[in-house]
Amino acid sequence: MRDVTPDVPALHRRSFLKYTGALGAAATVSASLSACSSGPESTNDTGTGGGPGRTLTAVIGYGNDGSWDPTQTASAFCMAANHHIYEGLLDTDPISREPYAALATEVPKDPESTSWRFALRSGATFHDGKPVTADDVVFVFQRILDPDTQTLVKGFFASWLKEVRKIDAQNVELVLKFPFPDGLSRLTLAKIMPRHVFSRPGGWDDAIKGKAIGSGPYRQTAHHPKSNTTFEAFDGYNGPRKPAFRKMNWLTIVDAAPRVAKISGSSAGAQIADNIPYANIGQLESGGMTVAGGAGMNNLFLMFNTKHKPFDDVRVRQALHYAIDTEKMVEVALKGHGRPSSSFLDEANPSYRRAKTVYDHDPDKAKALLKEAGVKGLSIEILAVNVSWIVDCLPTIKASWDAIGVETTLSPQETTAVFTKMDQKQDYQVVAAASNPNQFGLDADLIMHYNYGPENLWMQYTRWAADPVARQLFKDMDRATREPDPAKKKAIVQDYIDVVAEQAVLYPVVHNELMTAWDPARLSGIRAQPYPGINLLQAKWA
């Protein structure tokens, strides 16, 4: 089966398919990008040469034709690439997510303050040679906080960030609405973009289509939607993450078999690939590759249409979760690389606590709940994305539901098709899909607001936001955001996650590992991420 880019809806109503590139439109990059391009690299560049100018070739299992606008994108390929092209005031370690000074000279010493001042790195320049200034910082944050502009990242900032002020050409001040230490790690989501480029008419459309000019260690040299994107070390970079590779060629190969083939054997055409199927781990390891997993928030979730009876009844939603043999799903479909969900959060999350409602396999309880709800002869069509590991999990759901007398039909479709139906507010019963908010961060406040909120797109899909339980949940979530005491904040989050678990409107069935493979004879410093994509900012030739 095909793997597709896990572009997921943003926090607010917007043109989801346009901005995430889920329609797969292969847009032509503007002439100005072509002018600064060194031309397309060969998509067959093996990077096996011995000289310092050799090319690192990577295979990404997701499309490169999503939005490249850092304020909008949820595309795995584009987000990963942007971390190499752009910088935030602060960026974060890809695994621990601890913030470090990027364009700024230091991390604020007082995270509890409601005023964070940043001095920009002296001599920092964009890839077109223009200096990075405070005007560029203000330009990006004004877009993010603009009430009339709906961006994905707005939902990660608007609740706590009041404004961003220019002090002088090299200094800015972030003014917070209340103390919010978690905001430091979120600054990596506000990539600083050149105002002189993207403020021009059509500038943001160019960013969506693939124009990328930042101040990071690598500059984009060519972009071919549905094929590859190439990079070159930026000679003018003077920041903390020096480029180790003179050139990089990232191939987009969404089909699993050719992706694995590209990194297999003595004549492998690439040194690293993400999104490795579990069934190919042994093959690659026996060929000398290192294969490692990252466990995090990646999950298969069920989303119910609460306006379609009987899914308005919490007992029905609970019954269908209790019915699923999740241990079998982990063993058969995930080959042991996952765990049944015991909370909305994965077990490694710092805010994790086992939820009060845990859906251990209990078909008798499932039958009893359906009987209590007065439901007989239920037939369900599961509308599912056709990501390969999700498709592998679907037969277990069908067998489990069939076993409690629920006639189940599986309908896997392209991710594009599934969310087009959601966006068009078409009727449905249950959606099975994949999600991973770890692309944006680890903190529970971010993760939960990504999925739940009164104006959240997911909640519009579920038709649940007006429910009295939902309204109280959203109030509790806002209270947690504003709580200054870390221990109290964590307790509030854990308590409202218990409500989310009990209601089971949009809830994970299993959390699984994402696998990355690389050639240890050629690369070192690689760390497998618990979210899609790769990060090569601390990697080097072996």
Side-chain angles (χ1 to χ4, degrees):
M1 298 298 296
R2 256 186 105 208
D3 285 312
V4 293
T5 181
D7 290 337
V8 288
L11 288 149
H12 299 280
R13 169 57 53 182
R14 60 191 173 90
S15 180
F16 161 62
L17 294 173
K18 174 181 178 183
Y19 287 128
T20 63
L23 288 176
T28 303
V29 182
S30 66
S32 56
L33 173 62
S34 301
C36 69
S37 170
S38 61
E41 295 281 350
S42 166
T43 58
N44 294 315
D45 191 338
T46 62
T48 56
R54 56 183 168 165
T55 297
L56 179 141
T57 302
V59 182
I60 309 298
Y62 308 98
N64 73 338
D65 55 347
S67 171
W68 282 69
D69 174 0
T71 72
Q72 295 283 21
T73 192
S75 162
F77 190 112
C78 306
M79 286 191 70
N82 281 343
H83 284 311
H84 297 73
I85 296 170
Y86 292 99
E87 297 176 281
L89 290 169
L90 305 179
D91 281 326
T92 60
D93 180 86
I95 307 301
S96 72
R97 311 309 274 268
E98 283 296 313
Y100 64 86
L103 265 176
T105 57
E106 64 178 0
V107 178
K109 294 181 173 60
D110 183 7
E112 302 284 346
S113 174
T114 56
S115 172
W116 295 336
R117 291 198 171 198
F118 295 97
L120 300 183
R121 188 175 70 235
S122 177
T125 61
F126 289 113
H127 298 155
D128 62 1
K130 302 289 186 182
V132 181
T133 70
D135 289 328
D136 301 300
V137 177
V138 172
F139 165 69
V140 169
F141 278 101
Q142 282 181 339
R143 173 173 169 81
I144 291 172
L145 297 178
D146 182 357
D148 297 324
T149 303
Q150 294 300 332
T151 61
L152 188 154
V153 298
K154 176 185 289 187
F156 303 138
F157 290 95
S159 65
W160 57 272
L161 182 59
K162 182 179 179 181
E163 63 177 315
V164 176
R165 300 171 179 167
K166 173 183 176 180
I167 298 173
D168 56 38
Q170 291 299 113
N171 292 271
V172 296
E173 179 186 17
L174 273 62
V175 181
L176 282 61
K177 297 176 182 177
F178 47 85
F180 192 69
D182 286 341
L184 291 176
S185 62
R186 296 191 192 185
L187 293 182
T188 189
L189 301 173
K191 298 301 187 188
I192 306 307
M193 306 170 72
R195 185 181 70 165
H196 64 274
V197 173
F198 294 104
S199 66
R200 297 170 181 166
W204 291 110
D205 287 336
D206 288 340
I208 291 168
K209 296 173 185 176
K211 186 172 186 175
I213 299 175
S215 61
Y218 293 94
R219 67 182 187 93
Q220 185 195 74
T221 52
H223 175 54
H224 306 287
K226 297 185 179 293
S227 172
N228 68 310
T229 302
T230 63
F231 312 81
E232 188 172 79
F234 175 42
D235 291 334
Y237 178 73
N238 66 348
R241 296 287 186 265
K242 305 298 183 186
F245 309 106
R246 189 64 207 165
K247 295 182 179 180
M248 297 193 298
N249 185 20
W250 288 19
L251 311 179
T252 169
I253 305 179
V254 297
D255 291 323
R259 184 168 66 253
V260 172
K262 194 69 176 178
I263 59 168
S264 301
S266 58
S267 59
Q271 298 89 32
I272 184 171
D274 76 341
N275 197 17
I276 298 299
Y278 304 125
N280 295 106
I281 294 174
Q283 165 202 341
L284 291 170
E285 289 179 335
S286 64
M289 302 291 284
T290 295
V291 185
M297 269 299 297
N298 207 65
N299 66 87
L300 180 160
F301 67 85
L302 294 181
M303 178 172 68
F304 292 93
N305 179 358
T306 62
K307 294 301 182 185
H308 188 124
K309 291 184 177 297
F311 308 110
D312 59 331
D313 192 320
V314 64
R315 294 168 295 186
V316 175
R317 302 192 296 265
Q318 289 180 342
L320 293 170
H321 272 279
Y322 278 120
I324 299 172
D325 190 344
T326 50
E327 294 286 355
K328 180 180 179 182
M329 182 181 289
V330 169
E331 177 186 355
V332 175
L334 305 181
K335 311 300 183 188
H337 294 279
R339 291 186 179 184
S341 299
S342 56
S343 167
F344 196 97
L345 302 175
D346 64 282
E347 295 182 20
N349 189 283
S351 295
Y352 168 84
R353 180 185 72 193
R354 184 176 171 87
K356 289 183 178 178
T357 305
V358 176
Y359 296 102
D360 296 322
H361 184 217
D362 193 338
D364 290 335
K365 188 168 187 175
K367 292 177 184 177
L369 284 166
L370 289 178
K371 183 177 180 180
E372 184 181 324
V375 174
K376 297 179 181 178
L378 180 59
S379 296
I380 296 177
E381 178 185 62
I382 302 177
L383 181 62
V385 299
N386 69 342
V387 175
S388 59
W389 72 270
I390 295 287
V391 173
D392 291 343
C393 290
L394 293 178
T396 300
I397 299 178
K398 174 175 168 54
S400 299
W401 288 0
D402 286 345
I404 63 167
V406 175
E407 183 181 339
T408 309
T409 302
L410 303 177
S411 181
Q413 302 177 19
E414 291 281 348
T415 300
T416 316
V418 172
F419 287 105
T420 295
K421 292 177 180 178
M422 299 297 99
D423 236 30
Q424 294 174 348
K425 300 183 180 179
Q426 294 184 25
D427 189 35
Y428 74 96
Q429 294 174 292
V430 184
V431 163
S435 179
N436 194 334
N438 282 163
Q439 288 186 111
F440 307 106
L442 283 179
D443 73 87
D445 182 274
L446 179 152
I447 290 169
M448 298 309 299
H449 277 87
Y450 180 78
N451 290 278
Y452 283 83
E455 297 179 9
N456 182 286
L457 191 55
W458 291 110
M459 291 297 95
Q460 293 182 40
Y461 290 162
T462 64
R463 283 81 150 163
W464 190 63
D467 187 281
V469 177
R471 286 201 290 260
Q472 183 57 51
L473 169 68
F474 302 150
K475 290 179 182 178
D476 292 339
M477 294 174 71
D478 289 342
R479 183 164 59 93
T481 299
R482 294 175 175 273
E483 175 54 56
D485 182 271
K488 290 180 181 178
K489 181 188 185 79
K490 183 175 180 180
I492 297 170
V493 169
Q494 291 172 335
D495 286 346
Y496 76 62
I497 287 178
D498 286 339
V499 176
V500 169
E502 178 187 47
Q503 292 297 311
V505 171
L506 186 157
Y507 201 70
V509 175
V510 289
H511 290 103
N512 70 313
E513 286 185 288
L514 293 175
M515 312 304 295
T516 302
W518 66 92
D519 185 345
R522 299 184 185 180
L523 295 178
S524 65
I526 304 296
R527 292 180 291 167
Q529 297 181 167
Y531 50 96
I534 57 174
N535 187 300
L536 302 173
L537 294 179
Q538 293 176 290
K540 60 184 179 180
W541 293 116

